[in-house]
Each structure stands twice: as C-alpha cells, then as structure tokens.
Amino acid sequence: MRCKIIRLFRPTTTYIIWWAATALTFLVFDILFCRVTSFHAFHNYTSTYFTILAGASIFTLPAAYLKRQGWQFGVLIALDILFIANLMYCRTYFVAIPLDSYCIADNLCGFVCSVTDAFRFYDLILPLIAATAYLLTRKKKQTRPGGLLQPALSLMSLGLVFATMYPAGGVYKKLNIMATSVNSVSAIAPAYSVFGSMAYDYMTRCNCLTENDSNKMTDWLSEHNKLTSGYHSPLEPRRRNIVVILCESLESWPIGLSLEGREITPFINSLIKDSTTFYVPDVLTQTRGGRSIDAQLLMLAGQTPTATGVFAMKYSGNEYNTLPKEMRRHGAATYLISPDEPSTWNQKAIAQSFGIDSIYMNQSFDHNLPNAVNMTDGYLTDKSLLEQATEKMKSGEIWPENQYAFILIVTHSGHNPFKLDEDLKTISLTDCYPDVLKDYLTAAHFTDNSLRSVISYIKSRPDYDNTSIIITGDHEGLAVYRKCLSEYYSYVSPNQYTPLIILNTPTEIGETQIGGDNPLIIGQLDIYSTLLDIAGLYNSAEWKGMGRSVFDPERPNMSVSPLGYAKQKEPCDSSAIEHQRESFIIGDLLLIHRLNPMRLLRESEINQ
C-alpha cells in the first residue's frame, strides 16, 4: 500500500527539471521586475513565493502528461515572451501591461525604436532557462510522474496563493488594496504574477457602478468645488487665443543647462528671460499607460487618466468638458497639428471628443521636403512640422489673422529612444556621455531650435497682444534611465518634472511671483485650470477641472504622482495630499463608468 501511494506522488527526473526551470523563470521575472520598481513584493508579500510555486506547478502540465518535450518547451517560451513584454513595459510605466493593451498592440507599429529600446540583453536569461531545460531532457526517456503529483502540487500552491488573499476579503479586494496603495501598486505583478494583474483588470472592467463608488465620486467633486470656490480669477472674459505646444518628452532640467560651452535650449532660455513669460519648472508628470494622450486629458480636460490601459482606446466616446469646447462656446475655431497618424492611440477620435474641429495630422504635411523625415523612426521632424504649420498659418489655411482660436501642436522628435539622423542634429557633444543622455540632450536642442519658426511668426501677428503661447512637455522622458543618470550627473533631475512656460502672460496675473525660497510645484492636472485662467474663462466655466489654477493663492504648493508619491518643497496639510491622491481613483471611476463629472455633480445637487 505504501509503495502504491509513493508511486502516485513520485516525480520523474524530466518533470523535476521542467518544474525547476519554470519556477526559476517566475523567480527571474520577479527579480527583474522588482529591479525596475522595488523589492517590496519580496519583503512584504509571502504570496510572491507561493505564486512561484503555483506558476511552476501549473505551467508544467505538458511535462506531466505529454511525451513530447517540445510541447513543454513551447509553453515555457510563450511564457518567456509574455514576461519579457511585461518587463519592457515596466521600464516605462512601472506596472505590468494592462489587459486591454494586449488588444491594441498594433499601435506600436510606429514606435518600433521605442519598443526595442526597452529591451535588455539580460532578458534573454528567460529563454535561456527554457533552452537549457530542453537540452537536459531531450535525450531522456519520457515517463509520466506519479498521477497525483501534478494536480496535488497545483492545488496546494494555488491554495496558498488564495490563502494570502482571504484576510483582505478575497481576490478583488486584496488586489484593489494593492492597486490603490503607494507602495504596493507596482508589486501586483511579482506578488500575484502577470496573470493576477490581468485578472484584476478584468474584474475592474466588469464592475457595475455601486452606490459606494457613486457617493465617493460626488463627495470628492463636492469637496473639490468647495476648495476652489474661494478663487476668483482677476482676468475679465475676453477673446484670447491659446496656442499649446506639447513637446514630446521635454523635461525641465535641460532648460538653462550649458555643456561644453553651449546652451542645450538657447531659444527657450531667451523666451524665459522675457518679462511677460511665466515659468514653472517643476510640473510633476501625472500620465499613466497612455502617456502622450494622457497628457492631453490632464491638460485639456482637467481629468486624471484611467489606472489600467489607455483611456483613448476605450473611452473616446465619453463626454468630456474641455478647454477647446469652452473656447468654442465663445466662438473660437479649434485646431490640432500633429505628425501622428489619426489612428495612433485613437488621437483623431479623442481630438473630436475634446471639441477640436480642424485636424492636421501626418498626411496633411509634405514628407518629400529636404530633411522632412527622421529616417530613424520615419516620423516628420519637429522642424519640418512647425515650419509647414507656420506656412499654413501665413496662408490663412490654419488660424487666419484675427480669428479667435485654440491651437494644439504636438511634436515627436523627442520621442524615446531620442535618435536623430546625423544631418538633423543641431548640436555636437564631444565629451563622454552615456548614449541615452547624449541622444536626449541632442533631441532637446533640436526641438528647441525647431520652435523658433512658429513662435517668431506668432509673435509677429497683429493679434499677438490677444494670444498666449504655452510650451510644456507631454510627460517625462528618461523613465528607467533616470535613477542611474541622476546619480552620476548632478544636472539630471531625479524627479519627473516637465516645464510650464507661458508666453505673453496677461498683465493682470503676470506679476505672480515664483522662485525664491518657495518655488512652485504643480501637477499636469493643474494646467487645465491654469489655461482656463489664461484664456479668461475660469470664472464663467462650470467645469474648472480636478486640479487648481497655478494663480490660485490657496492652492497647496505640492503635487502627487499617479503612484501616490507626493512632491512638496515644504510640509503640506496631509488632507490636501490625500485629496490629490484620491483624484486618480475618482478619475478612473469617471472614465470606467463613462460619467461626466460636471453632470454627475449637478444631478447629485438636484437629488439632495
């Protein structure tokens, strides 16, 4: 009897090799993932270790029941591909790939260089483990392990994983606690595997609107209204043109920087010196999985992006309250100028949802002009885009003189991995720098030089007195490189700050003091409210955004990242920090349930 029981659970050498290889694959993935984020999962979650056991037991099913080694090898290689893709994604976004993003992978076609830049040669450790296991088992005679071994291992290890979720109230509640925690949001993938992250995304997507969530949103919006109700903009409502130039990956630290006797951003430096320029260097990046398109949601609609996936792909049909719509209600024409394809992150559909009527994208510009295209990535260069846009303005095709208008210009040359063709480079740095740093600074100099044509033209227009130009970055650019570069180069900021530069600031608010002993820290979410202010529409607009105008004297001098980290120059009220943290939860709920925050708040007030 005893021998029969032993046979039921006896492993074979082949099975042990494959099981160990699969467990090692999960372990290596966890280590590489935590290397980018933090090792919080290993320190604080026993589920990390149980998940390795469960993953190894489940993904060795072919080795337990099939004779051909190739099936097990194929399963492990497929797992390696999934893990490597998530590691590449993590190096930019610090979380696992959202479930919905797997369905829109075709959007990466225009960003091949950025994708390959996120790959590391040591990622090949994963397929190397699979190849080693295959070589070790290839010539061994295949025999099945004990019939109860595999299911027993799987059930036991899965039971241990679910046991760690029981005290929190189950799978969804446990993962939701982690997803809304500053320290644990990045730990979901190693603690409960990529599949646990996918499961949470699915459960979140399928959630119906609960009374608790509805109350949470209305309470937050009501509180935010009270916080902003004391500020009345000094600007009188009048027709003021707004030109927003969204520079790809432009950070603040290169501005004012000189290397080898040359300024990295000489043109922007000259603009900042102008007495009518308002400059905030510390604008905290608050984008998520949508990056550039998230920046447009934050700055033009005053809403935080969705926690998982890309809001533009799932919620383009939502009703948004935006600056272009507010200006259009007062008679403005609205324009988008971008080198992207209309389908890239669904940008055309989002522009239309935001109230932009005239859209000039990739095919609207001539790619056959000299140096029009950066052959490295196939995109229209910033210089060519802005020069051609300027010509269209001069001809009256875009923004005829004395037309009241909102114009959004999106650049691309600063996109990761920051590679420019040799004949496009406008600066040559000869000292020894890491390639990524040298390429980033070269791209920043190129974008800076490209801005001259369009800004010089706008300043020459007869309606410039009634025009403000806003230059900002769509998000930070260095991503996973930041920590290493900032440790070795003191001028590289360890913080994810983009600049906010407002040219021709209205005189009524242009005297606001910044810098000194208490420089401003704002978030990208605050830019929407600030633009309403600059446009002279803050007082009349019903939707003032989930941020606060930079000119509001009561605004706390701090900001919070989507992962919950607060940035402040001096201690702030903890309730103000928590209020900003909650804005990301509220924004996510609004998008998921396709709710208009202004309408929701209005209906809530009526019901009360």
Side-chain angles (χ1 to χ4, degrees):
M1 183 67 178
R2 182 185 172 195
C3 292
K4 287 183 179 179
I5 294 174
I6 291 174
R7 280 198 298 270
L8 287 174
F9 291 94
R10 179 182 294 165
T12 63
T13 303
T14 301
Y15 182 77
I16 291 173
I17 291 172
W18 281 118
W19 191 95
T22 309
L24 187 58
T25 296
F26 273 84
L27 176 62
V28 170
F29 167 77
D30 289 349
I31 291 172
L32 294 180
F33 195 96
C34 291
R35 186 171 179 266
V36 177
T37 54
S38 74
F39 283 87
H40 189 71
F42 282 97
H43 297 153
N44 298 85
Y45 291 94
T46 54
S47 58
T48 304
Y49 305 98
F50 297 151
T51 299
I52 292 172
L53 299 178
S57 302
I58 292 168
F59 282 91
T60 48
L61 277 166
Y65 297 111
L66 299 174
K67 289 186 177 181
R68 292 179 179 272
Q69 302 299 309
W71 289 105
Q72 181 61 63
F73 179 67
V75 167
L76 204 49
I77 288 296
L79 190 64
D80 292 338
I81 293 171
L82 176 67
F83 282 174
I84 290 172
N86 276 271
L87 288 172
M88 293 166 68
Y89 187 88
C90 173
R91 289 179 184 124
T92 299
Y93 303 106
F94 305 104
V95 291
I97 300 174
L99 181 61
D100 289 316
S101 293
Y102 289 98
C103 302
I104 56 173
D106 57 316
N107 272 276
L108 296 176
C109 293
F111 304 97
V112 175
C113 292
S114 298
V115 173
T116 55
D117 185 66
F119 176 78
R120 300 290 182 273
F121 279 110
Y122 53 72
D123 293 341
L124 294 176
I125 294 172
L126 294 172
L128 186 61
I129 293 169
T132 302
Y134 180 74
L135 291 173
L136 290 174
T137 59
R138 188 165 60 97
K139 293 184 178 180
K140 289 187 178 293
K141 184 179 179 181
Q142 174 65 12
T143 56
R144 293 183 181 180
L148 293 182
L149 174 65
Q150 217 286 335
L153 280 175
S154 300
L155 290 173
M156 179 189 70
S157 52
L158 272 177
L160 291 171
V161 171
F162 283 111
T164 64
M165 299 175 168
Y166 180 78
V171 176
Y172 176 77
K173 287 188 177 179
K174 177 65 175 181
L175 294 178
N176 191 56
I177 290 170
M178 294 180 71
T180 54
S181 166
V182 175
N183 296 316
S184 300
V185 61
S186 297
I188 293 176
Y192 289 101
S193 84
V194 168
F195 304 100
S197 178
M198 290 180 185
Y200 175 69
D201 289 347
Y202 179 78
M203 288 184 286
T204 302
R205 185 180 63 182
C206 295
N207 273 353
C208 296
L209 179 62
T210 65
E211 184 178 355
N212 181 56
D213 284 342
S214 181
N215 291 338
K216 187 184 295 185
M217 285 185 282
T218 53
D219 289 348
W220 190 94
L221 291 168
S222 297
E223 181 186 358
H224 193 69
N225 266 5
K226 291 176 183 176
L227 291 173
T228 58
S229 61
Y231 174 61
H232 187 83
S233 174
L235 279 177
E236 294 298 324
R238 64 187 177 97
R239 293 158 67 94
R240 187 172 191 86
N241 304 311
I242 299 294
V243 180
V244 178
I245 304 178
L246 208 55
C247 297
E248 176 66 46
S249 303
L250 179 64
E251 297 194 15
S252 300
W253 60 268
I255 296 174
L257 176 66
S258 292
L259 292 175
E260 302 176 21
R262 299 190 63 184
E263 294 178 291
I264 301 301
T265 57
F267 183 61
I268 291 177
N269 295 348
S270 68
L271 296 175
I272 290 173
K273 292 174 183 176
D274 191 295
S275 61
T276 64
T277 297
F278 185 88
Y279 175 44
V280 182
D282 297 341
V283 181
L284 185 64
T285 292
Q286 294 174 313
T287 59
R288 285 178 150 172
R291 298 279 273 182
S292 298
I293 203 69
D294 282 356
Q296 295 184 34
L297 178 69
L298 287 156
M299 299 178 193
L300 302 186
Q303 276 190 240
T304 53
T306 183
T308 62
V310 180
F311 93 92
M313 307 305 296
K314 298 191 288 183
Y315 309 117
S316 62
N318 285 20
E319 182 184 9
Y320 297 99
N321 312 298
T322 68
L323 176 64
K325 282 184 179 179
E326 191 65 32
M327 291 183 66
R328 195 172 64 177
R329 274 192 285 272
H330 289 76
T334 54
Y335 299 89
L336 168 65
I337 298 169
S338 169
D340 288 314
E341 294 288 348
S343 61
T344 302
W345 304 125
N346 215 14
Q347 190 164 170
K348 181 178 179 180
I350 285 297
Q352 291 170 335
S353 292
F354 280 12
I356 297 179
D357 298 319
S358 301
I359 298 174
Y360 292 80
M361 301 193 75
N362 185 44
Q363 296 306 315
S364 301
F365 301 97
D366 188 350
H367 290 228
N368 296 316
L369 296 174
N371 293 329
V373 175
N374 180 21
M375 301 309 295
T376 302
D377 61 12
Y379 259 80
L380 200 68
T381 67
D382 289 357
K383 185 174 180 61
S384 185
L385 173 75
L386 297 176
E387 286 179 351
Q388 290 190 59
T390 300
E391 291 304 313
K392 290 181 183 295
M393 290 179 189
K394 289 178 179 178
S395 70
E397 181 181 351
I398 297 177
W399 188 26
E401 287 185 358
N402 297 312
Q403 181 188 60
Y404 177 41
F406 168 86
I407 303 99
L408 172 64
I409 302 174
V410 179
T411 75
H412 182 84
S413 295
H415 201 286
N416 175 280
F418 324 119
K419 298 289 187 181
L420 291 175
D421 299 339
E422 285 300 321
D423 55 350
L424 292 175
K425 294 178 180 178
T426 53
I427 191 173
S428 177
L429 299 173
T430 58
D431 286 354
C432 184
Y433 306 97
D435 286 345
V436 66
L437 177 59
K438 186 174 182 178
D439 291 339
Y440 182 80
L441 293 170
T442 302
H445 190 277
F446 178 74
T447 295
D448 175 83
N449 186 62
S450 301
L451 291 171
R452 290 179 183 273
S453 60
V454 68
I455 291 179
S456 298
Y457 164 70
I458 294 173
K459 284 188 168 187
S460 72
R461 289 172 60 105
D463 52 4
Y464 180 63
D465 286 346
N466 295 322
T467 300
S468 284
I469 305 171
I470 293 84
I471 303 170
T472 186
D474 57 354
H475 50 72
E476 62 84 31
L478 295 182
V480 74
Y481 298 107
R482 179 178 308 285
K483 187 175 186 296
C484 180
L485 291 176
S486 62
E487 287 175 353
Y488 284 93
Y489 298 92
S490 60
Y491 50 80
V492 177
S493 174
N495 298 307
Q496 299 181 349
Y497 290 147
T498 60
L500 174 64
I501 304 163
I502 304 174
L503 309 184
N504 199 25
T505 310
T507 55
E508 297 94 323
I509 56 178
E511 296 178 358
T512 302
Q513 296 297 311
I514 65 172
D517 296 329
N518 192 28
L520 291 176
I521 290 182
I522 70 171
Q524 289 178 303
L525 191 60
D526 298 313
I527 291 179
Y528 168 78
S529 306
T530 302
L531 294 184
L532 273 180
D533 224 345
I534 294 294
L537 300 173
Y538 187 90
N539 296 333
S540 61
E542 189 174 2
W543 173 243
K544 293 176 171 58
M546 297 174 72
R548 299 178 69 169
S549 172
V550 70
F551 303 111
D552 182 350
E554 298 300 319
R555 189 192 69 83
N557 193 18
M558 49 77 68
S559 193
V560 176
S561 77
L563 295 179
Y565 300 108
K567 294 293 182 181
Q568 52 191 318
K569 292 289 173 75
E570 59 181 13
C572 288
D573 187 345
S574 60
S575 63
I577 295 175
E578 192 57 35
H579 180 73
Q580 281 206 22
R581 282 188 181 136
E582 288 178 0
S583 70
F584 292 98
I585 300 171
I586 301 305
D588 190 42
L589 290 171
L590 290 169
L591 288 168
I592 289 171
H593 299 296
R594 302 181 184 277
L595 297 171
N596 182 306
M598 188 173 67
R599 194 183 303 279
L600 177 67
L601 190 56
R602 194 187 302 132
E603 290 173 356
S604 167
E605 291 171 350
I606 292 173
N607 292 333
Q608 290 177 356

